[in-house]
Amino acid sequence: MNTHLAHHFDDADQQFDAARLGMWIFLATEIMFFGGMFVGYTIYRVNYPQAFAVGSSHLQLVAGTVNTAVLLLSSFTMALAVRCSQTNRRTGTVFLLAITLLLGVVFLGIKGFEYTEKFATHHVPGESFSLSEPHSSPVDPQHVELFFSFYFAMTGFHALHMIIGVALVTIAATQAWKKCFSAEYYTPVEITGLYWHFVDIVWVFLFPLLYLIR
Amino acid sequence: MSVAELPRRHYLNANYNIWSWLLTTDHKRIAILYMISLTLFFFVGGAAAILFRLELMTPQGDLLISETYNRLFTLHGVVMVFFFLIPSIPAVLGNFLVPMMIGARDMAFPRLNLLSWYLFMAGGILAIAAIVGGGVDTGWTFYTPYSTTYANSQVMAMAMGIFVAGFSSILTGMNFIVTTHTMRAPGMTWFRLPLFVWSHYATAVIMVLGTPVLAISLALIALERGLGVGIFDPKLGGDPLLFQHLFWFYSHPAVYIMVLPSMAVVSEIVPCFARKRIFGYSFIAFSSVAIAVLSFLVWGHHMFVSGQSVFAGMVFSFLSMLVAIPSAVKVFNWTATLHKGSISLETPMLYALGFIGLFTLGGLTGLFLATLAVDLHVHDTYFIVAHFHYIMVGGAVMGYLGGVHYWWPKMTGRLYPEWWGRVSAVVVFVGFNLTFFPQFVLGYLGMPRRYHVYPDEFQVLNVMSSAGASILGLGYLIPLVYLLWSLKYGKAAGPNPWNAKGVEWQTPSPPPTLNFDETPVVTEEAYAYPPLDESSAEGEPLEPVAN
Amino acid sequence: MTHHIVPVKTYAFVFAALLVLLALTVAAAQIENEVLNLLVGLTIAVSKAALIMLFFMHLRYNTFVIRMAAVAGFFWLAILMTLTMSDYLSRM
């Protein structure tokens, strides 16, 4: 008898299916959560295309590209971690989750570095916002400020999700270390994995929409 | 006829420790927790309504100043919408009944279910804090740029409260969907599900896919107000209407979060008290799903006069008409179920019939409002106020009260006093119509909403409305008293006092902690009431079955 | 247990494809044409998301209901996007 089976389920498969379906439904709500911002972004990008291009040119393309690669790699290690728990390889699971965790922290570090730079150059929306564009530029600095509003709102909420993800991976790794999982029961690893991949997907869209506008 | 007795062990007396309630993962106990907290919020919101109905007795502003009046109607709107109506039936009756109706021992995620109650309470406490700290004057709609820039009331705290409560709604919806998919008893196929479950499934879809958009729009308001991240700020070239789009993308479907569960309740009550199979089962089932999907296509009808493009206005006007179709399908099917039924008018049935009538009136006036040209005339008048109260109070609250009465014996094991039940149902119906019907007329004559001073010629209708409100208030107090009374003095109900069909009636009342002594096996469709000539000839359909 | 176990080779292949797409999208960002730039960027983003969902998130091997849950999120987002834009694009 599986010790992880809750009293209200008939068998472990039912419990696993329920957890996985629940997570996918939660991810659908997350799509709508970020979706609201994507809709706003679309409207303003249609209205102020040049301002968005100017705003985008002030972002650090290298940092953004490296961060994308870091996240993709972390998704890869996360997928392998899930596979290790499916095949009962405990040390593999712990090791790969730790790598994923580390990559998540690297991402947040680079993001923090970018934010600091934005504060230093007064590109943060609000009273202190200023844009050192030549006066001949046809672009209204306030529209560029709108771009940065979206940049900070979208990457900010993404970073918040990353922080939650890092916490979840830490918990999953600890549990794996304590031998809580087996090929019969690894639901938390699976669920954390789904969440982590989702946060990666959000970034996959944010990257071209924020960093790559011409 | 043997006198029914309460079972020796049931979920209510399984444990008396306070922590056994506050840390419970039993869906039935969580439903009770919700019921108690919702009742408190209902009376908070109602108190605000009483104050401003008093103010509206006279054309002058002699009881309240404008600022207080604004805060009162905002309080009423926010509390009633987000802290009573949206969670009302799903979180109380849905929570209690969905697992029981499908023959499950609990929700799929019992701990998330408990978490959802704590999130609800956290949101509610934030909202109360905002009220105590001076209130909010933006209206429950939080329109920008007023809410982001100009309002100097507790917008942040209130928005955060609703944000947090929204997650409770999402978790409840998630639980319903997963529970319906994975926890059904053997033999409980999709087309044997009671319509109550279908409706709650549709409601859950709206909760899960709509609520996050409300969350992000409120979060963006908070970012703009708190940090100057000005996404809706017209000074920067931002568009305040974007907020309305995002807000109504959730808040229009939210009306269906309130009314679909009411329809769920009515679909259970009508066949039981007409002693007949429901007419057009699959039509009612699919119309719930259709309403859930269509409800997301119509939000622009709240913005006809806002500066939205004329083209979008026409599109939304046309799409809004479509929602009438599945709604009407339901009304026709309930009516057809009544046809040649053996109808008895117990309290739940009175509320259900009240629902059908009032919802039809509310729905038909909704068609007026969906018509672009008519809306230009009555927009932001009392006509709107009357229309949505017919849906949200005449519809949702009547359904809630009907459902509470219908399943009260199941939840508590005791019968409420039937005579008082019927009296309260009639008082609520009369009070409701006296309150809100005059408001249709007021609105049509041009009295705008959200003002506390009005021209003298509107006084008669306003006094009628205020008088009706006091009757309505009384109508809500009566059940509070006798339902509490019945907890101690009510007669024991027995497992199936209404002689109803459905898995939830096959287990003792109140049910044991795991709902069923053994997992039920379902062998027949829902509402398999025997053909009329076969059931006991002289009526007495309510005789308890001898088990 | 019947959980599908994907070979490591598949994962590695998907990861390699993702990196190639990343390089492509950065290179394509040099396109000066506004519309083309957005179109290429979005197409690549959608492909990357699809790869992650189908393989890393096992959508390819999952049940119909789970696929529906994934589709529902995007479908509802499309509703929000389409109807909102129907207002903004017809404002002038």
Side-chain angles (χ1 to χ4, degrees):
Chain A
M1 186 66 196
N2 192 327
T3 47
H4 294 287
L5 186 62
H7 68 276
H8 58 294
F9 287 109
D10 294 331
D11 55 47
D13 268 343
Q14 188 192 25
Q15 184 170 4
F16 182 78
D17 285 347
R20 196 168 51 175
L21 178 59
M23 194 62 200
W24 272 102
I25 291 167
F26 181 73
L27 295 184
T29 76
E30 289 277 31
I31 292 176
M32 295 308 292
F33 184 83
F34 281 98
M37 285 186 287
F38 278 103
V39 169
Y41 170 93
T42 312
I43 291 162
Y44 293 143
R45 177 150 177 200
V46 168
N47 283 352
Y48 314 120
Q50 284 144 347
F52 271 50
V54 169
S56 175
S57 69
H58 287 284
L59 298 183
Q60 298 176 358
L61 182 58
V62 178
T65 312
V66 171
N67 249 353
T68 314
V70 166
L71 265 197
L72 291 175
L73 180 60
S74 79
S75 253
F76 178 54
T77 55
M78 181 47 115
L80 291 178
V82 173
R83 191 180 183 281
C84 274
S85 45
Q86 281 175 330
T87 51
N88 247 336
R89 271 171 257 184
R90 186 176 69 95
T91 39
T93 309
V94 175
F95 176 71
L96 285 162
L97 284 177
I99 300 278
T100 310
L101 182 67
L102 192 70
L103 291 168
V105 173
V106 168
F107 175 92
L108 285 170
I110 295 179
K111 201 77 235 155
F113 161 74
E114 281 186 81
Y115 276 5
T116 323
E117 189 262 352
K118 288 280 158 289
F119 274 97
T121 51
H122 297 286
H123 285 158
V124 182
E127 294 297 317
S128 65
F129 182 84
S130 75
L131 194 67
S132 48
E133 283 292 305
H135 282 294
S136 58
S137 164
V139 167
D140 187 339
Q142 294 185 317
H143 297 166
V144 181
E145 189 175 344
L146 273 181
F147 170 83
F148 280 106
S149 288
F150 276 103
Y151 170 76
F152 277 99
M154 292 168 114
T155 58
F157 275 114
H158 179 263
L160 182 66
H161 279 77
M162 285 294 297
I163 293 169
I164 296 169
V166 164
L168 291 178
V169 173
T170 312
I171 294 170
T174 322
Q175 283 182 326
W177 178 256
K178 288 184 184 161
K179 303 184 184 174
C180 291
F181 304 134
S182 65
E184 281 73 44
Y185 174 79
Y186 61 95
T187 312
V189 185
E190 167 85 14
I191 299 303
T192 307
L194 287 177
Y195 179 85
W196 191 266
H197 295 309
F198 170 79
V199 179
D200 187 16
I201 288 175
V202 172
W203 183 260
V204 158
F205 282 97
L206 288 183
F207 176 62
L209 289 179
L210 295 174
Y211 289 82
L212 301 178
I213 313 176
R214 282 292 173 279
Chain B
M1 175 179 159
S2 64
V3 179
E5 280 177 27
L6 293 191
R8 209 169 54 81
R9 297 301 280 172
H10 49 79
Y11 81 100
L12 289 170
N13 71 6
N15 203 328
Y16 289 104
N17 183 338
I18 178 78
W19 294 110
S20 75
W21 281 91
L22 291 180
L23 296 178
T24 183
T25 53
D26 180 351
H27 67 105
K28 299 183 289 304
R29 286 191 164 204
I30 294 170
I32 302 288
L33 290 176
Y34 262 116
M35 189 186 232
I36 296 167
S37 17
L38 286 175
T39 309
L40 290 176
F41 282 113
F42 180 76
F43 283 100
V44 170
I50 286 174
L51 278 175
F52 62 67
R53 269 330 311 175
L54 265 179
E55 159 62 42
L56 288 167
M57 298 271 281
T58 59
Q60 305 82 27
D62 32 24
L63 179 63
L64 306 168
I65 54 168
S66 310
E67 282 74 18
T68 320
Y69 183 79
N70 292 346
R71 281 161 166 78
L72 278 177
F73 73 67
T74 306
L75 189 170
H76 175 72
V78 167
V79 169
M80 285 304 201
V81 169
F82 295 110
F83 296 99
F84 176 73
L85 285 167
I86 286 177
S88 63
I89 301 183
V92 178
L93 299 173
N95 231 336
F96 195 96
L97 291 161
V98 166
M100 298 201 63
M101 284 184 165
I102 65 174
R105 291 187 282 275
D106 205 326
M107 286 282 197
F109 309 119
R111 279 179 298 178
L112 283 186
N113 203 8
L114 179 66
L115 176 64
S116 93
W117 181 73
Y118 275 101
L119 287 174
F120 174 78
M121 289 311 283
I125 287 166
L126 270 169
I128 298 282
I131 291 165
V132 174
V136 181
D137 59 353
T138 59
W140 76 281
T141 45
F142 294 98
Y143 274 8
T144 53
Y146 186 65
S147 59
T148 46
T149 314
Y150 302 106
N152 51 7
S153 49
Q154 304 291 334
V155 178
M156 283 286 257
M158 193 62 106
M160 288 316 295
I162 296 169
F163 182 90
V164 173
F167 282 93
S168 119
S169 194
I170 291 175
L171 293 182
T172 305
M174 221 169 94
N175 236 331
F176 282 154
I177 296 179
V178 177
T179 306
T180 314
H181 273 289
T182 58
M183 311 285 289
R184 298 191 311 275
M188 182 56 92
T189 60
W190 280 86
F191 289 97
R192 283 179 183 166
L193 286 175
L195 291 166
F196 186 92
V197 180
W198 274 93
S199 265
H200 273 79
Y201 188 90
T203 309
V205 169
I206 303 177
M207 287 172 152
V208 160
L209 293 167
T211 317
V213 180
L214 175 77
I216 189 65
S217 53
L218 292 174
L220 290 176
I221 280 194
L223 277 184
E224 182 159 342
R225 231 185 131 80
L227 302 175
V229 180
I231 282 171
F232 306 117
D233 190 350
K235 271 190 306 209
L236 301 181
D239 183 11
L241 275 194
L242 172 60
F243 173 79
Q244 295 189 24
H245 276 296
L246 295 178
F247 179 82
W248 288 116
F249 179 83
Y250 166 74
S251 294
H252 188 77
V255 175
Y256 296 91
I257 297 182
M258 305 169 200
V259 89
L260 269 172
S262 257
M263 295 168 157
V265 169
V266 172
S267 300
E268 297 299 311
I269 293 176
V270 164
C272 174
F273 293 96
R275 312 308 306 163
K276 247 186 94 189
R277 279 187 53 198
I278 192 107
F279 184 86
Y281 172 93
S282 52
F283 278 91
I284 299 185
F286 284 118
S287 66
S288 296
V289 181
I291 286 175
V293 177
L294 289 175
S295 69
F296 280 98
L297 308 179
V298 302
W299 79 82
H301 66 223
H302 294 268
M303 301 165 62
F304 282 157
V305 297
S306 68
Q308 174 184 245
S309 80
V310 178
F311 172 75
M314 289 190 317
V315 171
F316 279 121
S317 177
F318 170 74
L319 290 170
S320 302
M321 303 282 176
L322 292 183
V323 188
I325 299 170
S327 310
V329 163
K330 283 181 187 285
V331 173
F332 294 146
N333 280 302
W334 294 321
T335 320
T337 308
L338 292 172
H339 178 66
K340 288 193 175 174
S342 163
I343 297 170
S344 56
L345 295 176
E346 270 74 20
T347 312
M349 188 62 160
L350 288 177
Y351 277 112
L353 294 177
F355 170 94
I356 296 176
L358 298 179
F359 172 75
T360 305
L361 246 166
L364 288 176
T365 50
L367 283 178
F368 301 0
L369 294 168
T371 311
L372 201 44
V374 180
D375 185 72
L376 292 187
H377 177 60
V378 292
H379 193 89
D380 260 352
T381 68
Y382 267 85
F383 193 87
I384 304 268
V385 177
H387 155 71
F388 70 69
H389 280 91
Y390 265 76
I391 298 288
M392 286 150 69
V393 184
V397 179
M398 294 288 267
Y400 176 68
L401 287 175
V404 166
H405 282 89
Y406 184 55
W407 283 289
W408 188 258
K410 182 51 66 183
M411 298 172 93
T412 65
R414 292 185 186 273
L415 295 170
Y416 59 86
E418 184 59 39
W419 188 84
W420 281 104
R422 292 184 205 194
V423 167
S424 82
V426 172
V427 171
V428 166
F429 186 81
V430 171
F432 174 82
N433 280 296
L434 189 56
T435 312
F436 292 106
F437 200 84
Q439 296 187 3
F440 277 126
V441 185
L442 277 173
Y444 190 75
L445 294 175
M447 179 166 165
R449 67 194 283 201
R450 294 184 173 176
Y451 288 86
H452 71 308
V453 194
Y454 56 84
D456 289 342
E457 67 255 36
F458 293 141
Q459 188 170 13
V460 174
L461 288 164
N462 268 303
V463 169
M464 279 169 76
S465 182
S466 294
S470 54
I471 298 176
L472 187 59
L474 183 70
Y476 290 142
L477 282 173
I478 301 173
L480 182 72
V481 174
Y482 68 71
L483 288 178
L484 287 175
W485 176 88
S486 78
L487 285 178
K488 188 153 171 63
Y489 303 105
K491 270 192 287 189
N496 191 357
W498 309 120
N499 210 353
K501 296 289 175 180
V503 181
E504 82 269 26
W505 298 106
Q506 292 171 11
T507 191
S509 320
T513 299
L514 293 180
N515 293 347
F516 301 96
D517 294 327
E518 53 191 82
T519 308
V521 177
V522 182
T523 53
E524 58 181 12
E525 60 193 280
Y527 316 109
Y529 291 100
L532 282 179
D533 36 58
E534 283 176 29
S535 62
S536 56
E538 303 319 314
E540 278 305 313
L542 295 180
E543 179 120 328
V545 264
N547 273 357
Chain C
M1 299 294 279
T2 53
H3 302 157
H4 192 94
I5 296 169
V6 183
V8 178
K9 219 164 71 181
T10 314
Y11 285 138
F13 187 76
V14 169
F15 176 58
L18 285 172
L19 285 185
V20 171
L21 284 171
L22 171 62
L24 261 181
T25 193
V26 175
Q30 306 314 315
I31 302 172
E32 290 289 336
N33 184 312
E34 222 175 76
V35 179
L36 209 60
N37 173 287
L38 179 66
L39 221 60
V40 173
L42 275 184
T43 314
I44 294 178
V46 169
S47 324
K48 278 155 83 182
L51 281 176
I52 296 175
M53 294 213 297
L54 287 174
F55 293 97
F56 286 175
M57 297 170 88
H58 300 161
L59 208 52
R60 218 186 132 198
Y61 316 101
N62 273 167
T63 57
F64 175 74
V65 177
I66 286 183
R67 285 185 215 182
M68 284 303 288
V71 169
F74 290 102
F75 179 74
W76 255 261
L77 179 55
I79 295 178
L80 176 61
M81 190 72 95
T82 315
L83 284 174
T84 309
M85 293 315 286
S86 85
D87 173 16
Y88 283 91
L89 294 179
S90 58
R91 285 264 180 99
M92 315 341 166

